[in-house]
Short mmCIF file of all heavy atoms in Angstrom, two decimals:
data_model
loop_
_atom_site.label_atom_id
_atom_site.label_comp_id
_atom_site.label_asym_id
_atom_site.label_seq_id
_atom_site.Cartn_x
_atom_site.Cartn_y
_atom_site.Cartn_z
N THR D 166 -21.71 -34.00 29.83
CA THR D 166 -21.20 -34.41 31.14
C THR D 166 -20.18 -33.42 31.67
O THR D 166 -19.59 -32.64 30.90
CB THR D 166 -20.54 -35.80 31.07
OG1 THR D 166 -19.35 -35.71 30.27
CG2 THR D 166 -21.49 -36.82 30.47
N GLU D 167 -19.95 -33.46 32.98
CA GLU D 167 -18.95 -32.59 33.59
C GLU D 167 -17.56 -32.90 33.06
O GLU D 167 -16.75 -32.00 32.84
CB GLU D 167 -18.98 -32.74 35.11
CG GLU D 167 -20.09 -31.97 35.80
CD GLU D 167 -19.90 -30.46 35.75
OE1 GLU D 167 -18.77 -30.00 35.49
OE2 GLU D 167 -20.88 -29.74 35.97
N GLU D 168 -17.28 -34.21 32.87
CA GLU D 168 -15.97 -34.60 32.36
C GLU D 168 -15.74 -34.01 30.97
O GLU D 168 -14.65 -33.51 30.67
CB GLU D 168 -15.87 -36.13 32.31
CG GLU D 168 -15.86 -36.82 33.66
CD GLU D 168 -17.25 -36.93 34.29
OE1 GLU D 168 -18.25 -36.67 33.58
OE2 GLU D 168 -17.33 -37.26 35.47
N SER D 169 -16.75 -34.07 30.14
CA SER D 169 -16.65 -33.51 28.79
C SER D 169 -16.49 -31.99 28.85
O SER D 169 -15.70 -31.41 28.10
CB SER D 169 -17.90 -33.87 27.98
OG SER D 169 -17.85 -33.28 26.69
N PHE D 170 -17.22 -31.34 29.78
CA PHE D 170 -17.11 -29.89 29.89
C PHE D 170 -15.71 -29.46 30.32
O PHE D 170 -15.16 -28.48 29.80
CB PHE D 170 -18.13 -29.34 30.90
CG PHE D 170 -17.88 -27.90 31.24
CD1 PHE D 170 -18.14 -26.90 30.32
CD2 PHE D 170 -17.32 -27.54 32.46
CE1 PHE D 170 -17.87 -25.56 30.61
CE2 PHE D 170 -17.04 -26.22 32.76
CZ PHE D 170 -17.32 -25.22 31.83
N VAL D 171 -15.13 -30.17 31.27
CA VAL D 171 -13.77 -29.84 31.73
C VAL D 171 -12.80 -29.88 30.56
O VAL D 171 -11.93 -29.01 30.42
CB VAL D 171 -13.33 -30.79 32.85
CG1 VAL D 171 -11.84 -30.64 33.14
CG2 VAL D 171 -14.14 -30.55 34.12
N ASP D 172 -12.96 -30.86 29.70
CA ASP D 172 -12.11 -30.97 28.51
C ASP D 172 -12.34 -29.80 27.56
O ASP D 172 -11.40 -29.20 27.04
CB ASP D 172 -12.37 -32.30 27.80
CG ASP D 172 -11.48 -32.50 26.59
OD1 ASP D 172 -10.24 -32.54 26.76
OD2 ASP D 172 -12.01 -32.60 25.47
N SER D 173 -13.61 -29.45 27.34
CA SER D 173 -13.95 -28.32 26.46
C SER D 173 -13.39 -27.01 27.00
O SER D 173 -12.86 -26.18 26.25
CB SER D 173 -15.47 -28.21 26.29
OG SER D 173 -16.00 -29.34 25.65
N TYR D 174 -13.53 -26.81 28.31
CA TYR D 174 -13.05 -25.59 28.94
C TYR D 174 -11.54 -25.46 28.81
O TYR D 174 -11.02 -24.38 28.46
CB TYR D 174 -13.46 -25.59 30.41
CG TYR D 174 -13.31 -24.26 31.12
CD1 TYR D 174 -14.31 -23.31 31.06
CD2 TYR D 174 -12.17 -23.97 31.87
CE1 TYR D 174 -14.19 -22.09 31.72
CE2 TYR D 174 -12.04 -22.77 32.54
CZ TYR D 174 -13.05 -21.82 32.46
OH TYR D 174 -12.92 -20.62 33.12
N GLN D 175 -10.83 -26.55 29.04
CA GLN D 175 -9.37 -26.51 28.95
C GLN D 175 -8.90 -26.25 27.52
O GLN D 175 -7.91 -25.54 27.30
CB GLN D 175 -8.76 -27.81 29.47
CG GLN D 175 -7.25 -27.76 29.61
CD GLN D 175 -6.77 -26.65 30.54
OE1 GLN D 175 -7.30 -26.50 31.64
NE2 GLN D 175 -5.79 -25.87 30.08
N LYS D 176 -9.62 -26.80 26.54
CA LYS D 176 -9.27 -26.54 25.15
C LYS D 176 -9.37 -25.05 24.83
O LYS D 176 -8.52 -24.49 24.12
CB LYS D 176 -10.18 -27.33 24.21
CG LYS D 176 -9.86 -28.81 24.10
CD LYS D 176 -10.82 -29.50 23.14
CE LYS D 176 -10.50 -30.99 23.04
NZ LYS D 176 -11.48 -31.69 22.16
N MET D 177 -10.38 -24.40 25.38
CA MET D 177 -10.54 -22.97 25.14
C MET D 177 -9.47 -22.16 25.87
O MET D 177 -8.95 -21.18 25.35
CB MET D 177 -11.95 -22.53 25.55
CG MET D 177 -13.04 -23.13 24.69
SD MET D 177 -12.88 -22.69 22.94
CE MET D 177 -13.53 -21.04 22.96
N VAL D 178 -9.14 -22.57 27.09
CA VAL D 178 -8.06 -21.90 27.82
C VAL D 178 -6.75 -22.00 27.05
O VAL D 178 -6.02 -21.01 26.88
CB VAL D 178 -7.91 -22.50 29.23
CG1 VAL D 178 -6.62 -22.03 29.89
CG2 VAL D 178 -9.11 -22.14 30.10
N ASP D 179 -6.45 -23.19 26.54
CA ASP D 179 -5.23 -23.38 25.75
C ASP D 179 -5.26 -22.53 24.49
O ASP D 179 -4.24 -21.94 24.09
CB ASP D 179 -5.07 -24.85 25.37
CG ASP D 179 -4.81 -25.75 26.58
OD1 ASP D 179 -4.41 -25.22 27.63
OD2 ASP D 179 -5.02 -26.98 26.46
N ALA D 180 -6.43 -22.45 23.85
CA ALA D 180 -6.57 -21.64 22.64
C ALA D 180 -6.35 -20.16 22.95
O ALA D 180 -5.75 -19.43 22.16
CB ALA D 180 -7.95 -21.85 22.02
N TYR D 181 -6.80 -19.72 24.12
CA TYR D 181 -6.62 -18.32 24.50
C TYR D 181 -5.14 -17.98 24.66
O TYR D 181 -4.67 -16.94 24.19
CB TYR D 181 -7.37 -18.03 25.80
CG TYR D 181 -8.81 -17.61 25.58
CD1 TYR D 181 -9.56 -18.17 24.55
CD2 TYR D 181 -9.41 -16.65 26.38
CE1 TYR D 181 -10.87 -17.78 24.35
CE2 TYR D 181 -10.72 -16.26 26.18
CZ TYR D 181 -11.45 -16.83 25.17
OH TYR D 181 -12.74 -16.43 24.96
N PHE D 182 -4.42 -18.86 25.34
CA PHE D 182 -2.98 -18.60 25.48
C PHE D 182 -2.30 -18.57 24.12
O PHE D 182 -1.39 -17.77 23.89
CB PHE D 182 -2.34 -19.65 26.40
CG PHE D 182 -2.53 -19.38 27.86
CD1 PHE D 182 -3.23 -20.26 28.66
CD2 PHE D 182 -2.00 -18.24 28.44
CE1 PHE D 182 -3.40 -20.01 30.02
CE2 PHE D 182 -2.17 -17.97 29.79
CZ PHE D 182 -2.87 -18.87 30.58
N ALA D 183 -2.73 -19.44 23.21
CA ALA D 183 -2.16 -19.44 21.85
C ALA D 183 -2.47 -18.15 21.12
O ALA D 183 -1.61 -17.58 20.43
CB ALA D 183 -2.69 -20.65 21.07
N VAL D 184 -3.70 -17.66 21.25
CA VAL D 184 -4.10 -16.40 20.61
C VAL D 184 -3.21 -15.25 21.08
O VAL D 184 -2.63 -14.51 20.27
CB VAL D 184 -5.58 -16.07 20.93
CG1 VAL D 184 -5.89 -14.60 20.61
CG2 VAL D 184 -6.52 -16.97 20.14
#
Side-chain angles (χ1 to χ4, degrees):
T166 66
E167 280 291 343
E168 292 78 12
S169 177
F170 169 72
V171 169
D172 182 62
S173 296
Y174 193 85
Q175 189 59 47
K176 284 180 181 177
M177 294 300 281
V178 168
D179 293 342
Y181 272 36
F182 279 117
V184 164

